[in-house]
Amino acid sequence: MERLAIYIISDSLGETGEQVARAVVSQFDIKDYEVRRYPYVLDMSFLKEILGECKKDNAIVLYTLVDLELADYVKEYCKEENIPNIDLVNPVMDAIISKTNLTPLREPGIIRKLDEKYFRRVDAMEFAVKYDDGKDPRGLAKADLVLIGISRTSKTPLSMYLANKNIKVANIPLVPESPLPKELFEIPSKKIVGLTNTPDKLNEIRQERLKALGLSSNANYASMERILEEIEYAEEIMKKLGCPVINVATKAIEETAGLILEIMKEHGLELYKDRK
């Protein structure tokens, strides 16, 4: 038997076509075969060149092309030249169209882009957990954004929310008795956003927090005197750093996050969702 040649023609990596080809070949007792993968076939001239080689090689063609012009050309060329060919994408796409009446994006390599976006998000969320609440100040230099503020100013929820936007966030609590990490003063101030709250709102939130923990609501943590002291201390630090400050008292997490994203854009900080 002559050597079996299978050509995989794709507008992305061609991994799907190759996996299908090898899975099917494994069902036969074939030792002499070759699977050739041609990725990123995005123009007609390149496609014609590949098909010319395919004809010489007497090969089978498997293709994953979302561009209808390219896919139709492969189909017609192979029909004229009597080349066995299988379209692995468009018949499935047509079936989905018939069921949903939706229009496909027909964007090459979109699943790979989605995978990359997913892994960036996971990476950002792991980063937010690792560098939450000042656990490791070495993370400040690696962060896209650093949030600072006294207790109960939504630092952690905002860090996780922004991580879902693929932004790596570290946050540092401002406590008068605790020295600030030197790394905080070594990063550009445009990467820092301060968070604050009104005394009354903080008093209310902290009292509820103490109750949830089974502690007395009269603890110093929730006293107005202590809260005013912390707010004053935080304002001094934020002024020294020269960072923008957001009062979260009347804002939902989504609203505050939107303001932070606008600040990042104004400061020229690159957002992952804007990257191509």
Side-chain angles (χ1 to χ4, degrees), residues 63 71-82 85:
Y63 55 104
D72 287 345
Y73 184 84
V74 173
K75 183 178 179 180
E76 291 304 314
Y77 181 93
C78 290
K79 182 179 179 181
E80 290 175 8
E81 300 297 337
N82 198 29
N85 66 97

Side-chain angles (χ1 to χ4, degrees), residues 8 16-18 20-21 62-65 86-92:
I8 311 299
T16 301
E18 181 173 354
V20 170
L62 273 63
Y63 55 104
T64 55
L65 299 166
I86 301 96
D87 183 345
L88 295 175
V89 170
N90 289 292
V92 180

